[in-house]
Amino acid sequence: MVRRVWFFSWVLFVWLLGCGCVEGLGVNWGTMASHKLPPKVVVQMLKDNGIQKVKLFDADSSTMGALAGSGIEVMVAIPNDQLAVMTDYDRAKAWVRRNITRYNFNGGVTIKYVGVGNEPFLSSYNGSFLNVTLPALQNIQNALNEAGVGDTIKATVPLNADVYNSPESNPVPSAGRFRADINELMTQIVQFLNKNNAPFTINIYPFLSLYGNDNFPFNYAFFDGVSDPIVDNGISYTNVFDANFDTLVSSLKAVGLGDMTILVGEVGWPTDGDKNANSNNAYRFYNGLLPRLAANKGTPLRPGYIEVYLFGLIDEDAKSIAPGNFERHWGIFKYDGQPKFAIDLSGQGQNTLLVPAKGVTYLPQKWCMLNPNAADLSKLGDNIDYACTFSDCTSLGYGSSCNGLDSKGNASYAFNMFFQMKNQDELSCFFQGLAMTTTQNISQGNCNFMVQIDSSSSLWRPSLVASSFVMEIMILNPGVDDHQFLIPNSLLSPAPGFRVIANFSEQDKPIYCIPNKHQYAKGVDPIFYV
């Protein structure tokens, strides 16, 4: 009997280890980086860490191709600048055909959601997307339905938490209502989502409650308790996540849909670019969030399971810093796929470093620094400004990891970031004679002077045959739908650079896929239907 109990316990232990992630936990995979990790490397990293769900910000074919056959559940997205186009139903159907149904085969991509826009009602957008978001949502869902996949793939709109609030006179979750200027529109969106059994997707950022507001109670942004909770109708709120989420629940209840499914599209903590953005605070935040999710604790008004996507997966050095320097540092992994801090995605509190990206290649171990023999420093400021304009110097900001450097250190950091951005081109480490290269690592303390990844090694370069093939398709088939081409019979055997990804039923001809790293000609798509 003892032996059986021991064996059962061991099996249970191994099973828990294999679970990898909290049930329903996903991550946001953004790609706004100057040097991207190859999609296949990222997908393998997801699998190595047991991450089974991912949320994208587009439907890039190279990303989708890498996800094919992985079993990872995907939310693809339509960027805000394409919403107006999606108000045309024919264009919406074409988008679904190109980006959804083409991957709907055995061994394809497991698509579950389509994100229509990304926080389109932000106050800072000044109403730019108010008139196009709902029609785009309706057209995409109707196109999914028409394509026969609407039962399993749902369109939703990832929204920022600024679409609802509580009045200043009664700032408690139970008083939550949709923003007055968009209340009617939000009601229509919610009703349409509910009609199609689609979730309400919300992005919640406790970090932003702290950012720029020194009066906000610091501990309220985390999950380990506060001495003075907010009390609302007998409910004590000890963290801003619960309060924010339940403000949404009250807002939905106010329009008659208080039981609607809510999906948290983004939640996380940045690790640089602000005095409160660091690995210690990120560790504290995730170490509070993940166990709650694992226990299906939910919130006071919505106890139980919540589907959540962490933001984000990898740092993105090309993101806009209009909201703040921290925008480029949300990843739980660094730019090169190295983990930043210990974390347990299963929520069991066994915090260890995540499995890093494998097979990453770097540029040579070489840095650019201020030349100690430079005599005329009168133009140093202008050169630092130039370097930082065209590279990422957000770690130099107040409270950031490199904020403690002296003026010479600031110059070296800026010069090196520009040098790495330019793939270590020797001419990019000159700066009017103020800079020089070195093979000695010049990192200082917590300030890392990076060596960039060699993204050129992951770029797909077409053979002459492949390039000619694409052009021949264009010439032979003028007027065919942009993304569907008939392949001449003489080219039905795989050419160099092509890979068979599926067998098509009609005439049993294969589909070939070219990794779409470069756009060779307008209107050419990497997957060709035969």
Side-chain angles (χ1 to χ4, degrees):
M1 181 65 181
V2 172
R3 184 174 298 176
R4 289 181 180 177
V5 171
W6 178 89
F7 177 76
F8 175 77
S9 299
W10 172 251
V11 171
L12 179 61
F13 174 72
V14 171
W15 179 80
L16 287 172
L17 285 178
C19 284
C21 280
V22 170
E23 179 189 2
L25 185 70
V27 295
N28 284 266
W29 176 4
T31 57
M32 297 184 69
S34 62
H35 294 65
K36 299 179 180 67
L37 287 172
K40 286 187 177 180
V41 170
V42 177
V43 170
Q44 187 59 52
M45 184 172 70
L46 292 169
K47 294 169 69 176
D48 288 343
N49 287 287
I51 299 171
Q52 292 297 312
K53 297 187 179 188
V54 68
K55 177 172 169 282
L56 307 177
F57 293 90
D58 52 30
D60 178 75
S61 55
S62 60
T63 302
M64 298 293 281
L67 286 164
S70 68
I72 295 173
E73 193 175 276
V74 181
M75 179 189 292
V76 298
I78 301 171
N80 289 339
D81 60 7
Q82 295 181 27
L83 293 179
V85 174
M86 295 302 121
T87 61
D88 182 301
Y89 187 54
D90 288 336
R91 300 294 293 273
K93 287 196 296 183
W95 189 93
V96 167
R97 185 169 64 249
R98 288 193 303 268
N99 299 291
I100 304 298
T101 56
R102 72 189 261 190
Y103 298 108
N104 187 29
F105 57 85
N106 185 22
V109 183
T110 308
I111 301 172
K112 185 174 182 181
Y113 302 112
V114 177
V116 180
N118 182 46
E119 301 184 338
F121 302 149
L122 280 174
S123 299
S124 58
Y125 289 155
N126 297 315
S128 300
F129 306 108
L130 291 181
N131 296 325
V132 295
T133 301
L134 177 56
L137 171 67
Q138 293 169 327
N139 283 344
I140 290 297
Q141 185 63 64
N142 290 336
L144 291 169
N145 295 342
E146 184 176 329
V149 296
D151 288 340
T152 57
I153 303 176
K154 302 298 182 180
T156 182
V157 181
L159 293 163
N160 187 276
D162 76 342
V163 298
Y164 53 85
N165 53 43
S166 297
E168 292 185 8
S169 59
N170 189 25
V172 293
S174 62
R177 298 293 184 273
F178 287 118
R179 219 170 65 208
D181 61 309
I182 58 172
N183 182 66
E184 182 177 350
L185 175 58
M186 285 302 306
T187 301
Q188 292 175 317
I189 288 176
V190 168
Q191 290 172 342
F192 182 79
L193 292 173
N194 184 67
K195 176 184 175 182
N196 287 276
N197 296 315
F200 188 105
T201 302
I202 193 65
N203 301 340
I204 299 176
Y205 284 107
F207 168 81
L208 295 181
S209 298
L210 284 179
Y211 181 68
N213 184 2
D214 290 333
N215 295 320
F216 188 87
F218 183 80
N219 291 329
Y220 198 58
F222 301 93
F223 297 94
D224 35 19
V226 293
S227 57
D228 52 344
I230 292 176
V231 179
D232 178 19
N233 292 331
I235 299 173
S236 294
Y237 285 92
T238 60
N239 66 83
V240 70
F241 178 89
D242 283 358
N244 193 311
F245 191 99
D246 281 359
T247 303
L248 170 58
V249 174
S250 297
S251 301
L252 290 169
K253 185 178 180 180
V255 296
L257 292 168
D259 294 327
M260 185 176 182
T261 299
I262 299 173
L263 182 157
V264 178
E266 298 178 18
V267 63
W269 200 280
T271 57
D272 210 349
D274 181 69
K275 63 181 181 180
N276 292 317
N278 53 65
S279 293
N280 289 334
N281 284 344
Y283 173 88
R284 180 184 177 188
F285 180 79
Y286 286 119
N287 205 40
L289 174 67
L290 294 171
R292 290 166 54 90
L293 296 177
N296 287 327
K297 185 174 181 179
T299 67
L301 296 186
R302 188 65 71 83
Y305 168 81
I306 302 175
E307 185 173 359
V308 172
Y309 291 78
L310 305 183
F311 190 88
L313 183 61
I314 306 168
D315 282 350
E316 302 172 79
D317 67 349
K319 284 193 72 177
S320 168
I321 57 172
N325 287 343
F326 56 83
E327 279 294 330
R328 295 177 176 174
H329 303 279
W330 286 101
I332 55 177
F333 290 91
K334 300 176 184 177
Y335 71 100
D336 57 353
Q338 294 297 310
K340 294 182 179 180
F341 49 86
I343 185 174
D344 182 3
L345 296 178
S346 72
Q348 303 303 313
Q350 304 298 315
N351 295 308
T352 58
L353 290 176
L354 297 175
V355 180
K358 298 174 181 175
V360 179
T361 58
Y362 295 83
L363 297 174
Q365 293 292 295
K366 188 163 57 174
W367 293 262
C368 182
M369 62 178 287
L370 177 67
N371 189 336
N373 298 318
D376 183 9
L377 300 180
S378 61
K379 295 184 179 180
L380 182 61
D382 290 341
N383 280 277
I384 292 175
D385 288 344
Y386 180 84
C388 289
T389 298
F390 297 101
S391 65
D392 178 24
C393 293
T394 52
S395 294
L396 291 175
Y398 171 69
S400 302
S401 61
C402 299
N403 181 222
L405 298 177
D406 59 18
S407 58
K408 293 181 179 179
N410 286 339
S412 291
Y413 186 89
F415 291 168
N416 184 64
M417 291 304 290
F418 183 83
F419 181 59
Q420 304 297 335
M421 177 72 74
K422 296 297 183 181
N423 297 309
Q424 298 186 359
D425 186 319
E426 291 294 333
L427 295 178
S428 66
C429 186
F430 180 68
F431 294 102
Q432 296 181 292
L434 294 172
M436 58 175 282
T437 59
T438 179
T439 55
Q440 298 297 314
N441 190 336
I442 53 177
S443 299
Q444 301 182 35
N446 292 327
C447 180
N448 178 47
F449 282 62
M450 72 179 314
V451 171
Q452 187 57 269
I453 63 175
D454 183 7
S455 59
S456 64
S457 66
S458 68
L459 296 182
W460 179 80
R461 293 183 173 84
S463 66
L464 181 60
V465 174
S467 297
S468 300
F469 178 39
V470 173
M471 295 308 296
E472 184 170 359
I473 289 170
M474 290 181 60
I475 294 169
L476 290 175
N477 298 278
V480 181
D481 183 295
D482 296 22
H483 292 264
Q484 295 186 17
F485 301 90
L486 300 176
I487 301 179
N489 290 329
S490 61
L491 293 175
L492 281 178
S493 59
F498 289 76
R499 148 176 95 84
V500 178
I501 64 168
N503 286 322
F504 216 54
S505 57
E506 188 174 1
Q507 298 180 358
D508 198 31
K509 296 177 181 177
I511 302 172
Y512 296 107
C513 173
I514 308 175
N516 186 24
K517 206 63 183 177
H518 303 287
Q519 186 174 355
Y520 305 108
K522 185 176 181 180
V524 174
D525 195 273
I527 291 184
F528 303 92
Y529 293 78
V530 185

